Amino acid sequence: MKMERVLDRQGRWRNKVVAFRMSPEEDALLDAKVRLSGLTKQEYIIRRLTDRKITVVGNPRVYKALREQMAAIYSELQRLTVTEEISPDLLETIQMVALTLNGLKEECE
């Protein structure tokens, strides 16, 4: 049985594998960004590495990711004590959610 090549939108065959290591925290942050973008992880990473624009288009999967991310942020903020500082990763996630929601708001107007 012959396998067909799966080409990208420009007709290129993606046959190169790129791998790298991440900490669990970096992996969680990347996963959150991917879910909120609505793209596949591969497409998200390629667009980020090639400085191409990532435009989030509202769809049920993106709205679900936003809802879940906001619930996680809320839980983390409830866990913090008054004297604890908010982690840079949490601040980055909050900023990412705010930018996504802002973009979706503009899309609706």
Side-chain angles (χ1 to χ4, degrees), residues 11-108:
R12 297 176 294 208
W13 181 41
R14 290 182 170 163
N15 63 337
K16 295 291 183 183
V17 175
V18 177
F20 53 92
R21 296 183 188 279
M22 300 177 79
S23 69
E25 296 82 9
E26 291 167 330
D27 183 54
L29 187 58
L30 176 61
D31 284 344
K33 289 183 176 195
V34 168
R35 279 192 308 276
L36 291 173
S37 75
L39 300 171
T40 64
K41 187 178 275 190
Q42 174 179 305
E43 191 59 35
Y44 180 85
I45 291 171
I46 289 171
R47 286 186 188 195
R48 291 294 301 208
L49 292 175
T50 57
D51 291 327
R52 286 189 281 159
K53 186 175 183 178
I54 294 175
T55 305
V56 178
V57 178
N59 62 45
R61 190 172 61 189
V62 170
Y63 290 120
K64 180 182 178 191
L66 280 167
R67 187 177 63 244
E68 290 171 355
Q69 198 63 57
M70 288 301 296
I73 289 168
Y74 181 69
S75 294
E76 184 64 18
L77 290 174
Q78 281 186 315
R79 186 195 63 73
L80 293 175
T81 63
V82 175
T83 58
E84 277 185 280
E85 287 190 28
I86 297 175
S87 75
D89 287 345
L90 182 59
L91 286 175
E92 188 173 344
T93 301
I94 292 169
Q95 181 181 20
M96 176 184 51
V97 168
L99 289 171
T100 302
L101 286 171
N102 229 7
L104 291 175
K105 179 182 165 228
E106 291 172 8
E107 184 181 289
C108 294

